Amino acid sequence: MDGIEAVLQNSCGFGGVTPLNLPFPYPPIKVREENQFYANLLTLDYCGSVSELTAAVQYIHGENSLCCRQCSVAKTIVGMAVAEMTHLQKLGEMILLLGGHIDFSIKTRTGTQMWTPEYTNLANDEQKILEANLASERAAIEQYKQHISMIEDDYVNALLERIIQDEEYHIMLLEMMKG
């Protein structure tokens, strides 16, 4: 090329990106008492196929897929990923208080299963990424509601209800981006 080097560069910067969660506090992280059953349930929300870990990784993949083409969408998606990481952190604290352990596995009656990236949807097209994330958010809300109906600890349920509010906010944002 006559001594001229082509340079490819991603100009989508992420400085100043903040978590996209609702602007009110989470309830205090506390429990009525240790409860292994509740801790095991929350491991599904923490790192199951429908979980905060899966959502965060899927959002990061979507951001990576779009950052060079759709910077504003990518920035919104990474903001949602950071919110999911906040949920992950709070659920982890709750699991520990309930007497559980954090090892990126779910605990069931039939054994233990490690988290796997196979849980994520690795779509590369903007519309497919948005659809996959919408489906994940809806599934998370349904799972949280199911867990709330099984848990009789108002402190645990308060956190799950607050997380649902953020997930509903994410659905609204994803729907707006879909157009």
Side-chain angles (χ1 to χ4, degrees):
M1 286 188 15
D2 298 333
I4 298 174
E5 269 186 49
V7 176
L8 300 176
Q9 179 177 335
N10 178 12
S11 60
C12 187
F14 293 96
V17 171
T18 58
L20 285 175
N21 48 21
L22 292 171
F24 49 90
Y26 292 92
I29 306 299
K30 57 185 176 179
V31 300
R32 293 277 170 208
E33 61 188 4
E34 285 191 5
N35 185 312
Q36 193 61 55
F37 175 72
Y38 295 169
N40 291 348
L41 270 182
L42 294 186
T43 65
L44 293 169
D45 302 316
Y46 186 81
C47 64
S49 60
V50 174
S51 69
E52 299 299 336
L53 180 59
T54 300
V57 172
Q58 186 167 298
Y59 276 125
I60 294 296
H61 170 76
E63 177 275 320
N64 288 161
S65 297
L66 297 174
C67 66
C68 295
R69 302 183 312 245
Q70 297 289 336
C71 186
S72 64
V73 173
K75 283 183 176 186
T76 302
I77 288 174
V78 83
M80 286 187 263
V82 176
E84 303 298 356
M85 288 183 256
T86 300
H87 301 161
L88 184 70
Q89 185 270 331
K90 294 189 176 308
L91 286 169
E93 287 182 20
M94 189 72 71
I95 290 166
L96 292 172
L97 287 175
L98 288 165
H101 301 281
I102 302 300
D103 59 5
F104 299 101
S105 68
I106 58 171
K107 313 321 187 249
T108 66
R109 290 184 299 258
T110 58
T112 300
Q113 182 177 338
M114 293 298 295
W115 182 86
T116 173
E118 292 175 5
Y119 294 155
T120 60
N121 182 313
L122 301 179
N124 289 308
D125 168 81
E126 179 181 354
Q127 287 305 310
K128 289 179 181 173
I129 290 168
L130 297 175
E131 285 295 334
N133 289 325
L134 275 166
S136 295
E137 293 288 3
R138 289 180 178 126
I141 290 169
E142 288 310 308
Q143 182 169 286
Y144 280 127
K145 287 179 178 179
Q146 181 182 25
H147 290 174
I148 288 168
S149 74
M150 299 167 75
I151 294 172
E152 296 179 5
D153 183 318
D154 54 328
Y155 296 123
V156 176
N157 286 338
L159 176 64
L160 300 183
E161 288 167 359
R162 174 60 184 83
I163 291 172
I164 287 173
Q165 292 174 325
D166 284 343
E167 308 303 16
E168 290 170 339
Y169 178 53
H170 294 166
I171 288 173
M172 182 194 74
L173 294 170
L174 291 163
E175 291 283 3
M176 287 176 20
M177 287 189 292
K178 247 181 60 174

